[in-house]
Amino acid sequence: MKKIFFPVLLAVATQNLFSQYLIVGKDSISVKDYIRDNKYGLENSGTEKSVNATIDFLLLQQLAKEKKADTLNFFVNTVNQRLSEIREQKFYPKSVIDPLLTDFVASNQKEVQVLLFIKEKNADDKTDYKSLYNQVKTGKMTMEDFLAKNSTPETSKAFYVKPGMLDYELYQQVKNTPVNSYTSFIDKGNVVGFAKVVNTRPSLGYMIFGTIAIPKDDNYEATKSKIYKELESGKKFQAVVKDFGASEEEKNSGGAVMGSPILPNEVYNALKGQTKDFYTKEPILFNDKYFIFNIYSIEPYTLTDTNRRFFQKELLATSYGDEAAKRLVRWLKTQEKFVETADFAEIKKSYQSYLNVKNPKAVLFSYGANKVTYEDLKKAIDSQYKNLEQIPTTQWSDLLNFQADQYIIGVYAKNFQNLPDVKPELNELKKNLFSEYIFSEYLKDELKNNPQLFTDYYNENKSKFIWEKRAESRAVVISNPALVKEIEKEVKDPKKWDALKEKYKNKVNDKNQVLVHFEQGKIQESADIFKKYNVPFKKGVFLTKIADRDVVVAIDDLLPEQQMTLEESKEDMNDAVTEKLLQKTIAAQRAKTKVEIQPAFMAELNKNFKK
């Protein structure tokens, strides 16, 4: 018995384990997942109603897919827009982006003034810049003299920098270098450089400011006076720019300067310590124009949950974005195994090695299940670059490594929407869009294209569409009590109705309210005007009050109960006809779809949720 009993129990357990599914066409849901996603419905509606509702939902989802709803513009655009938002939030894992973002925001609290030397070397330049750097650093030559001899006048002046304005590695040195000290010498083969830190100053925060430009001409004083008179009266800066802006672009944008650029000393000192809506009390001269500055907003460089997304977007638009990409690649290589082959190492030696590959189908590197051959790489490189032979040998390896990194990011980007914390969100959105298609597009189109559905329902349910007793009525809502008696007298004669409306057309009272408002139509006996405002349901002219307005009501005729016409009843029957069509649609979909509720699935639900 023991030899038979254990396998039988195992078979039964295995059968139960794999039969706890709800299957609707190509969709299947395990009981575990079903309970997780439908707990509220199970607890409040019971197992049968909840499961039937799910089946109906899945049948409609499949109908929407059959109708290719996911190819419609509204569907594609909504998914793409949401995917774009998710990419912005989640493309860089927190372990990659958070340390960089923290550094970016904290570093922005200080601006660093530098004298910078950066030069792209060519083969003809034999200057020993490293030796000259040593002379500058040891004080044998000033930085100013060095720049005068080896740079242009425009690039020889000190200027302030913020995070992301310089190469990431260079900036990391700059921000940690004391004033009057030098960074290390940078030599990347084709580029050499170094910087001297001259000064630092506190950042004013991420500032959006606006300007009004005033030409330096004979009209300057008059224009200046007019502008300040407007500003001092309390008129918003944006509105003043609209009147006095020097160009249409300036007028339309409120003179706004976005991106919080480095401010010249004069502007920095004028805005330092000021708050939103401050404007400079004297214009500042630059070249041939004076400028009035206004602070639209200031965001302190302090990272919060509210501004995290904004500052991350700013970060990625700077050289910090390049560093984020490098860190992402390093992280991805730890998630999916990255392997370089000997063939890849060989072609990285030189351009000639790249040209003289013996086996074009040789695998150069693999990333997870993805493999890249020489043919793949060559096709990508040839489509992006020309004159490859001119690239220095010292840079050749960097170029190929960069291509491999770009491939890894490309694979990641392509598969991004299938990531575990992305796919469920997109799937949920698609479910909602499929449902929206059914109710906002499919059913409405079916009703529009099949008017017989309304006719049939009307003929089958005429007793539901009966007008109760109604009154042919005219009503006048009056804002000025002094007019009540005069209007009440005029309303008694239906022939004077049109003339009365014309008399008070477009007239308002001292509060700019419509002086006299007219309404006309059929009112049912159960309406508030009869039940709540004490107007009797009989012929005559009656006076009542609604809120603070006097209302004159004329009952011209009383109508008995009447059968609604088909057109009159359409609005009332729309929901019922739609529901009938919906049920018919579900039934038709169910008839052609395999629906299986496995016994163990319902048994598990009933065990926990049977009402």
Side-chain angles (χ1 to χ4, degrees), residues 90-93 95-96 324-339 366-370 404-416 419:
K90 298 183 179 180
F91 190 80
Y92 291 91
S95 60
V96 170
K326 292 176 184 177
R327 295 189 183 193
L328 175 61
V329 170
R330 291 200 294 269
W331 181 81
L332 290 172
K333 287 180 178 179
T334 67
Q335 305 303 301
E336 296 281 350
K337 189 176 181 181
F338 177 76
V339 178
S366 61
Y367 172 61
N370 303 278
D405 290 350
Q406 289 300 105
Y407 177 80
I408 291 171
I409 289 180
V411 171
Y412 173 69
K414 183 179 180 180
N415 295 328
F416 176 77
L419 293 179

Side-chain angles (χ1 to χ4, degrees), residues 26-94:
K26 295 180 180 180
D27 293 313
S28 62
I29 308 173
S30 70
V31 71
K32 181 181 177 181
D33 289 344
Y34 187 83
I35 291 173
R36 180 196 65 206
D37 297 337
N38 297 275
K39 190 175 180 181
Y40 179 85
L42 288 165
E43 290 176 343
N44 290 275
S45 302
T47 56
E48 287 190 15
K49 285 185 178 180
S50 179
V51 170
N52 284 331
T54 300
I55 292 171
D56 290 349
F57 174 78
L58 291 175
L59 290 171
L60 291 173
Q61 291 276 302
Q62 291 171 16
L63 173 61
K65 292 175 186 177
E66 289 172 15
K67 298 296 182 182
K68 297 186 175 6
D70 52 354
T71 66
L72 299 176
N73 285 338
F74 93 93
F75 194 106
V76 174
N77 291 341
T78 304
V79 172
N80 286 342
Q81 181 180 346
R82 184 62 191 131
L83 180 57
S84 177
E85 292 169 355
I86 297 174
R87 280 182 187 276
E88 190 176 299
Q89 298 169 31
K90 298 183 179 180
F91 190 80
Y92 291 91
K94 283 187 169 294

Side-chain angles (χ1 to χ4, degrees), residues 88-90 92-109 163-164 168 171-172 175 206 300-321 323-325 327:
E88 190 176 299
Q89 298 169 31
K90 298 183 179 180
Y92 291 91
K94 283 187 169 294
S95 60
V96 170
I97 200 66
D98 279 6
L100 203 57
L101 182 58
T102 300
D103 172 62
F104 176 76
V105 174
S107 297
N108 262 297
Q109 293 173 5
Y168 175 78
Y171 176 74
Q172 293 305 304
K175 77 172 187 177
Y206 186 95
Y301 281 110
T302 303
L303 193 60
T304 66
D305 291 338
T306 304
N307 64 27
R308 173 178 296 273
R309 186 174 175 184
F310 170 77
F311 279 133
Q312 180 173 321
K313 192 172 182 179
E314 287 292 307
L315 177 156
L316 294 173
T318 71
S319 62
Y320 267 67
E323 178 64 17
R327 295 189 183 193

Side-chain angles (χ1 to χ4, degrees), residues 338-438:
F338 177 76
V339 178
E340 293 185 12
T341 67
D343 291 294
F344 194 37
E346 182 64 28
I347 70 167
K348 284 199 286 185
K349 291 179 179 178
S350 68
Y351 178 61
Q352 289 303 316
S353 299
Y354 169 77
L355 290 179
N356 297 323
V357 166
K358 295 178 182 178
N359 178 15
K361 298 190 179 300
V363 173
L364 301 182
F365 58 85
S366 61
Y367 172 61
N370 303 278
K371 295 181 178 181
V372 175
T373 66
Y374 171 80
E375 288 179 334
D376 298 328
L377 183 67
K378 188 174 188 304
K379 184 178 179 181
I381 289 179
D382 289 351
S383 67
Q384 297 178 64
Y385 303 98
K386 294 181 179 179
N387 304 320
L388 290 172
E389 69 281 356
Q390 297 179 13
I391 296 178
T393 301
T394 54
Q395 297 176 45
W396 180 250
S397 178
D398 290 339
L399 173 63
L400 295 191
N401 284 331
F402 175 75
Q403 290 298 313
D405 290 350
Q406 289 300 105
Y407 177 80
I408 291 171
I409 289 180
V411 171
Y412 173 69
K414 183 179 180 180
N415 295 328
F416 176 77
Q417 60 186 348
N418 294 316
L419 293 179
D421 62 337
V422 175
K423 188 174 182 178
E425 187 171 345
L426 288 179
N427 284 345
E428 192 63 28
L429 172 62
K430 290 176 182 178
K431 287 179 184 178
N432 291 335
L433 292 175
F434 280 130
S435 295
E436 183 178 338
Y437 164 77
I438 291 295

Side-chain angles (χ1 to χ4, degrees), residues 147-148 151-157:
L147 290 172
S151 189
T152 64
E154 293 77 18
T155 58
S156 299
K157 298 176 182 177

Side-chain angles (χ1 to χ4, degrees), residues 480-494:
N480 185 349
L483 300 173
V484 173
K485 288 187 177 180
E486 176 190 341
I487 291 176
E488 184 179 12
K489 180 180 177 182
E490 296 294 312
V491 166
K492 289 180 179 179
D493 186 353

Side-chain angles (χ1 to χ4, degrees), residues 202-222:
S203 165
L204 300 184
Y206 186 95
M207 183 182 294
I208 296 175
F209 60 91
T211 65
I212 301 176
I214 310 174
K216 183 184 177 183
D217 57 21
D218 294 340
N219 297 318
Y220 165 68
E221 289 295 340

